[in-house]
Amino acid sequence: MTDPLRMHIHDDATAALRERIFDYARDRMQLDPPPLDKGMPFAELRAIMPDTVTEAGIGGDRALDLFGEILAPASMSTDHPAMVSFIPVAPTEASILFDLVVSASCIFGGSWLEGAGAIYAENEVLTLLAAEAGLPNGAGGVFVQGGTNGNLSALVAARFDAEQRLSIAGKTRPTRWSFVTSEEAHSSLAHSARVMDVDVIKVPVGADGRMTGADVAKAVGDSWDSVFAVVATGGTTNLGIVDDIASVVSTAKQHGIWVHVDGAYGLAGMFAPSTKPYFDGLGGVDSFIVDPHKWLYAPYDSCALIYRNPSIGRSAHTQHASYLDVLTDTDEWNPSDFAVHLSRRARGLPLWFSLATHGVAAYREAIESNNMVARDIADVIRNSDHLELVCDPMLSVVVFRRIGWAQEDYAAWSDELWEAGKAACFPSKYKGEPVLRFAIVNPRTTTDILMELVESLKD
Ligand SMILES: *Cc1c(COP(=O)(O)O)cnc(C)c1O
């Protein structure tokens, strides 16, 4: 038998490549700081990058060289301490190391039959998240690829639940379904609505940006019959604002409506003593998501999706096919059954290993220290004549203006820092006006680093 992919050949050449790959990974993990690096226009990359995917192949050594010399430097390192745009990702070393182990272990994370051990550990983490949120025993779910999938899957379950209840009551469905969310909600919710072919009732929010139950009631008016879910945001991506979850829950419950919390970025704030109170009422929701790849220091890509009553998620999402019966006709916990997916990586394991290594208390401390850096730099900004805070930070996002600057001034400042490989701090927008934004989710992002950026805004 031939072995064209050399899968069972363990000779010096395969061993040498394996060592080189481990060395590469080891060296990358030890860079402190890692290079910021930056993207490159397609044409420039095309000009310097030889063809690699060829009929004969180029060999692993050459491919690794090209990755290290050309491709990696053309991809930004989100764990650079001065990468403060978007929501960066700064994984713990323990979680990165374990991501390698997950890859090497070839585990199908979709069914208990195949992945029991891995799923057991993933579920321990989901149980921790559910308990921290205040959900009752029995709550659980699955790690999906990202917040977008998590939100969509939760909303599909919510609509399924609403339809089941109507059908049990012998009532007809509304001609159009809708869900309710703040006008500050993440774009993935509008996308979910398009995918599901439902409408969104957008709730205008007050000056503090927090959606309340009263805001929801006002926006919905007498259209509750069309509503299958209310989505509160647990930390908006742009400003880190947490909706008033408790009052949203109480309004929605008066109408028997499912409440989902999109906490992709911010829900991790429930672990820090100073920001925990913002999440009051979370124990009353029907589902929530939080992305370990945002503020729980895990590598791309993962989102924890949790249902108060997982059996609804299961009924909404289980795929039926004759070749799957052996997997689905059981009472075991099959992660595939809880979202829009089937095959899945046991992507909760890197976070599990890191939590097991460091303990939950270390996470509380790390998240709290990101909050502290946010408050410290907000104080500096508040006391600077050339700057103005857009709002007091609730979590670890700080948004501010440089007084007297227009869009092109912000762009020139940020381009210069980026070109120099010093920082990635791109202008954002708030109510149509350009602003600057620090998203602080990296333990290596210190107040000093941000002070330097703030200083450089003077001239
Ligand atoms: C990032 C984010 C999402 C989308 O999550 P992905 O993992 O990028 O798909 C959804 N909602 C909020 C509030 C976010 O910050």
Side-chain angles (χ1 to χ4, degrees):
M1 207 180 92
T2 63
D3 191 356
L5 299 178
R6 300 175 61 80
M7 292 177 65
H8 299 98
I9 294 175
H10 302 286
D11 58 10
D12 288 351
T14 52
L17 181 60
R18 186 164 59 233
E19 291 315 308
R20 275 202 68 202
I21 296 275
F22 285 143
D23 286 345
Y24 182 95
R26 192 180 290 114
D27 291 348
R28 172 62 180 78
M29 272 184 274
Q30 283 171 355
L31 295 174
D32 188 14
L36 181 58
D37 292 330
K38 63 199 291 270
M40 205 184 257
F42 173 83
E44 274 176 43
L45 261 179
R46 189 76 201 89
I48 55 173
M49 203 37 209
D51 288 340
T52 49
V53 182
T54 62
E55 203 53 44
I58 59 166
D61 279 307
R62 177 88 178 112
L64 180 62
D65 287 344
L66 289 169
F67 181 77
E69 287 160 19
I70 299 180
L71 301 176
S75 313
M76 213 154 122
S77 304
T78 61
D79 56 341
H80 185 281
M83 158 61 187
V84 289
S85 279
F86 319 117
I87 302 283
V89 173
T92 65
E93 184 157 319
S95 67
I96 296 172
L97 288 168
F98 214 72
D99 209 31
L100 301 175
V101 173
V102 173
S103 288
S105 304
C106 297
I107 296 164
F108 177 75
S111 73
W112 190 264
L113 178 85
E114 292 187 64
I119 297 161
Y120 180 90
E122 285 190 300
N123 286 357
E124 253 191 283
V125 180
L126 295 173
T127 300
L128 163 78
L129 295 170
E132 190 72 23
L135 288 183
N137 283 342
V142 59
F143 287 95
V144 295
Q145 172 268 330
T148 300
N149 181 305
N151 283 333
L152 172 64
S153 296
L155 287 166
V156 166
R159 180 177 62 181
F160 175 88
D161 185 48
E163 293 189 341
Q164 289 287 103
R165 288 201 272 157
L166 284 181
S167 114
I168 290 166
K171 293 188 185 159
T172 50
R173 293 177 197 177
T175 31
R176 296 281 302 166
W177 278 119
S178 47
F179 67 83
V180 183
T181 196
S182 147
E183 59 187 4
E184 302 290 326
H186 189 264
S187 53
S188 57
L189 292 164
H191 187 59
S192 293
R194 281 197 299 278
V195 172
M196 296 172 72
D197 190 25
V198 299
D199 297 327
V200 181
I201 298 179
K202 277 201 191 159
V203 181
V205 288
D208 65 359
R210 302 184 80 187
M211 181 175 81
T212 64
D215 297 332
V216 169
K218 194 164 158 214
V220 176
D222 53 10
S223 303
W224 281 103
D225 282 351
S226 78
V227 174
F228 67 90
V230 179
V231 182
T233 303
T236 56
T237 323
N238 208 20
L239 294 181
I241 290 169
V242 183
D243 286 339
D244 182 352
I245 298 169
S247 72
V248 169
V249 167
S250 110
T251 299
K253 291 299 134 184
Q254 284 164 26
H255 301 273
I257 302 296
W258 183 294
V259 178
H260 172 69
V261 172
D262 174 5
Y265 147 63
L267 206 112
M270 73 178 170
F271 282 102
S274 73
T275 44
K276 178 142 192 114
Y278 295 136
F279 296 92
D280 275 359
L282 193 55
V285 307
D286 298 284
S287 58
F288 70 80
I289 62 155
V290 57
D291 281 2
H293 68 224
K294 282 184 172 168
W295 200 10
L296 286 170
Y297 317 107
Y300 290 114
D301 43 22
S302 82
C303 163
L305 160 62
I306 294 182
Y307 300 101
R308 175 185 213 84
N309 182 352
S311 69
I312 300 172
R314 178 191 283 134
S315 305
H317 289 293
T318 302
Q319 298 187 24
H320 298 281
S322 50
Y323 85 98
L324 294 173
D325 286 350
V326 58
L327 303 182
T328 50
D329 289 350
T330 107
D331 293 332
E332 302 289 13
W333 195 270
N334 296 319
S336 291
D337 292 349
F338 298 97
V340 184
H341 62 185
L342 185 65
S343 297
R344 67 178 290 276
R345 174 183 180 80
R347 58 166 55 80
L349 288 183
L351 176 58
W352 163 76
F353 183 76
S354 187
L355 279 165
T357 300
H358 299 296
V360 181
Y363 276 74
R364 295 186 196 286
E365 217 177 293
I367 294 164
E368 190 68 294
S369 74
N370 291 146
N371 284 331
M372 306 283 271
V373 169
R375 281 175 220 143
D376 285 349
I377 200 67
D379 280 341
V380 171
I381 291 167
R382 205 178 283 112
N383 296 320
S384 299
D385 293 338
H386 63 303
L387 304 173
E388 181 184 38
L389 270 184
V390 166
C391 60
D392 290 336
M394 268 180 107
L395 302 174
S396 67
V397 174
V398 182
V399 181
F400 59 102
R401 289 184 196 90
R402 164 66 164 84
I403 293 164
W405 272 16
Q407 177 72 38
E408 52 281 12
D409 302 306
Y410 286 105
W413 173 82
S414 122
D415 281 351
E416 192 181 315
L417 286 168
W418 201 33
E419 286 298 334
K422 280 197 188 146
C425 183
F426 310 120
S428 178
K429 283 227 155 85
Y430 178 68
K431 296 203 190 288
E433 299 288 319
V435 291
L436 287 172
R437 176 174 167 278
F438 295 151
I440 303 155
V441 294
N442 183 341
R444 291 195 280 202
T445 303
T446 58
T447 309
D448 284 348
I449 289 174
L450 300 177
M451 290 272 280
E452 240 180 84
L453 293 182
V454 161
E455 275 298 305
S456 73
L457 284 161
K458 271 200 174 135
D459 17 71

